[in-house]
Amino acid sequence: MRYISASIVVPVKGSFIRHGVVAIDETNTVRGVYEETDRAVSGVEKEFYDGVLIPGFVNAHCHVELSHMAGKAKKGTGLPRFLADVMKKRAADEKDILAQIDAADELMYNNGIQVVGDHVNTALSAKMKANSRIKYHTFVEIMAMAKEDIQPRVDKARDVEFYFDTSHASITPHAPYSCSKELFKAIRKLVSDDNILSIHNQESEEENKLYRYREGEFLDFYEEMGIDASSFKAQARNSIQSYLGHLPKNNPLILVHNIHMSLKDVDFIERLGRDAYFCVCPKSNLYIEGTLPKILNFVPNPKRMVVGTDSLASNDTLDILAELKVISAHTNQLDFLQILPWATINGAEALGVAHQFGSIEVGKTPGLVLLEGMNNLRLTEKVTLKRIV
């Protein structure tokens, strides 16, 4: 048994503990969380760390198979241009792709990330995930605008899903601008009620323009990439209000990015009673669109907020602490203890693994991360991270 103590222990569930002690066994399972004065830990040898001890992070949105694209897509071009860049430059030697996938996994682990929700189009990351110290839920994306493409894309997605852990993999629509109404309806028949869905949502105002008026940069994107979108019709409302009703009603849903989601859109989701989480990826949003979501729009329901990094195609690192620093710097109404659950227990709940990860509780294996350089639990640029377990 190891007894790990820190200046402050933040279990996430429950109050923080000054000079708290966490007991873990040889499998890194938490066996106790104690006050310094608890008799259960009196006289035992403790490892003391000067800093704030928290559970490992949950990265609710990533694309590890795009890790070889670091620096290849231009910054600040807006989403349609960024997507064209990725599609044109994605091809690479498979050995290089696999090496960069492995490097990304190691980077995330060293950055204190314990769980990842990862989007794929191929099975290239399967071997890494089978051997990783990180727990992954794999989202196999489907995209199809033309009716004749739907069944072949569904078949391909099923083939890709086969390579991953079946209890932690699910087929999901990619984004409103890459899925037809018919595909959304097909997905409703394809997935079971316990499948988690994760969809890129309102990452660009161009997506809302497409759905409202059938105009804007996505039409140019379709033409440039040879995508037949002739059957797409304007819906006279934002994308989320147009497609959400076509998705299965009972499935947990992670809406990713949400930069251009309005309060009316949030209210629409609430009124439908959907089991929806809002994922923010601030560094990626700044890289592609140069702006952030209106985070305070979502705060009335803070248990539904989760955090992701997106991929190295749109980020200079895969680091949840760095994402939290951006949120903290741009939203000074929220303190560290308010946003930490977004990057821990909320993400674990969204990905269906809260019984094992996301908080320092007896019976869990959440990983332990030390934040150094914090003053009165304030998150600043000076704060650094060290993985303890």
Side-chain angles (χ1 to χ4, degrees):
M1 195 78 75
R2 292 173 66 188
Y3 294 90
I4 299 170
S5 178
S7 308
I8 299 176
V9 174
V10 183
V12 174
K13 283 194 172 182
S15 302
F16 67 83
I17 309 168
R18 293 191 183 278
H19 293 96
V21 181
V22 180
I24 61 169
D25 65 18
E26 68 279 1
T27 67
N28 293 332
T29 301
V30 176
R31 293 303 178 194
V33 183
Y34 306 101
E35 300 272 356
E36 181 184 26
T37 55
D38 196 302
R39 289 183 179 181
V41 292
S42 64
V44 302
E45 185 178 348
K46 306 177 187 71
E47 304 170 34
F48 178 77
Y49 296 93
D50 184 13
V52 179
L53 194 70
I54 63 171
F57 289 122
V58 178
N59 180 357
H61 183 74
C62 192
H63 299 256
V64 293
E65 68 182 20
L66 295 180
S67 298
H68 66 289
M69 291 203 63
K72 292 185 179 179
K74 291 181 181 179
K75 190 174 183 179
T77 60
L79 184 62
R81 188 70 259 149
F82 172 82
L83 292 170
D85 245 10
V86 169
M87 292 173 71
K88 290 177 179 179
K89 299 174 182 178
R90 183 170 181 164
D93 180 78
E94 187 171 306
K95 286 185 179 180
D96 181 52
I97 295 175
L98 293 174
Q100 294 304 319
I101 285 172
D102 288 342
D105 175 67
E106 186 69 13
L107 175 65
M108 285 194 284
Y109 183 80
N110 291 334
N111 283 338
I113 294 171
Q114 199 75 13
V115 181
V116 177
D118 187 55
H119 282 233
V120 305
N121 304 111
T122 73
L124 289 172
S125 61
K127 183 178 179 181
M128 175 277 287
K129 289 172 181 173
N131 298 295
S132 178
R133 293 171 289 181
I134 292 172
K135 184 69 176 180
Y136 283 88
H137 184 100
T138 300
F139 295 102
V140 182
E141 296 178 342
I142 304 185
M143 33 188 125
M145 295 294 286
K147 190 173 182 179
E148 60 271 19
D149 289 336
I150 293 175
Q151 194 56 51
R153 302 287 175 84
V154 166
D155 293 341
K156 181 186 175 184
R158 281 176 166 158
D159 289 343
V160 171
E161 186 186 27
F162 173 81
Y163 289 90
F164 297 95
D165 177 359
T166 54
S167 60
H168 293 286
S170 50
I171 292 174
T172 194
H174 168 253
Y177 53 78
S178 62
C179 298
S180 65
K181 181 169 70 174
E182 289 76 16
L183 177 56
F184 283 124
K185 290 180 177 179
I187 288 172
R188 175 183 284 184
K189 298 176 183 177
L190 179 66
V191 301
S192 58
D193 283 353
D194 58 347
N195 274 36
I196 306 166
L197 302 178
S198 179
I199 182 169
H200 300 78
N201 179 72
Q202 291 170 289
E203 190 176 357
S204 169
E205 185 57 30
E206 294 301 319
E207 180 181 306
N208 285 330
K209 285 183 184 177
L210 176 70
Y211 269 80
R212 280 188 169 277
Y213 316 113
R214 201 184 186 278
E215 64 180 32
E217 294 178 17
F218 269 109
L219 297 182
D220 299 329
F221 166 76
Y222 295 145
E223 184 176 356
E224 181 180 354
M225 303 311 299
I227 297 170
D228 180 6
S230 57
S231 62
F232 184 88
K233 296 179 181 178
Q235 304 296 310
R237 52 187 176 175
N238 283 355
S239 62
I240 186 74
Q241 298 186 40
S242 303
Y243 74 81
L244 189 58
H246 299 307
L247 285 176
K249 296 179 180 179
N250 298 321
N251 296 68
L253 174 65
I254 301 173
L255 298 167
V256 184
H257 296 303
N258 311 303
I259 304 177
H260 297 280
M261 177 178 275
S262 68
L263 279 171
K264 286 185 178 180
D265 294 329
V266 176
D267 181 61
F268 173 79
I269 296 165
E270 293 288 330
R271 284 189 285 107
L272 285 185
R274 297 302 301 251
D275 183 9
Y277 291 85
F278 303 99
C279 181
V280 292
C281 305
K283 291 193 70 180
S284 174
N285 299 156
L286 292 172
Y287 188 102
I288 298 172
E289 288 278 320
T291 190
L292 294 174
K294 295 180 176 66
I295 290 175
L296 294 180
N297 284 0
F298 310 107
V299 168
N301 199 349
K303 290 185 178 180
R304 292 288 162 169
M305 292 297 295
V306 298
V307 181
T309 61
D310 214 343
S311 74
L312 287 174
S314 62
N315 205 330
D316 60 357
T317 188
L318 303 175
D319 183 351
I320 290 295
L321 178 60
E323 305 293 336
L324 293 181
K325 287 178 180 179
V326 173
I327 294 171
S328 182
H330 286 80
T331 317
N332 56 19
Q333 297 94 328
L334 301 171
D335 63 35
F336 172 71
L337 292 179
Q338 288 175 292
I339 63 175
L340 179 61
W342 304 4
T344 51
I345 191 61
N346 292 6
E349 291 279 3
L351 295 171
V353 292
H355 63 286
Q356 190 176 0
F357 304 100
S359 59
I360 304 174
E361 294 183 85
V362 173
K364 292 189 177 186
T365 54
L368 297 176
V369 172
L370 187 75
L371 302 182
E372 298 178 297
M374 293 196 84
N375 184 17
N376 294 324
L377 290 173
R378 292 184 63 191
L379 188 58
T380 67
E381 279 299 318
K382 294 180 180 179
V383 175
T384 58
L385 175 150
K386 178 192 294 182
R387 180 179 273 278
I388 304 300
V389 174

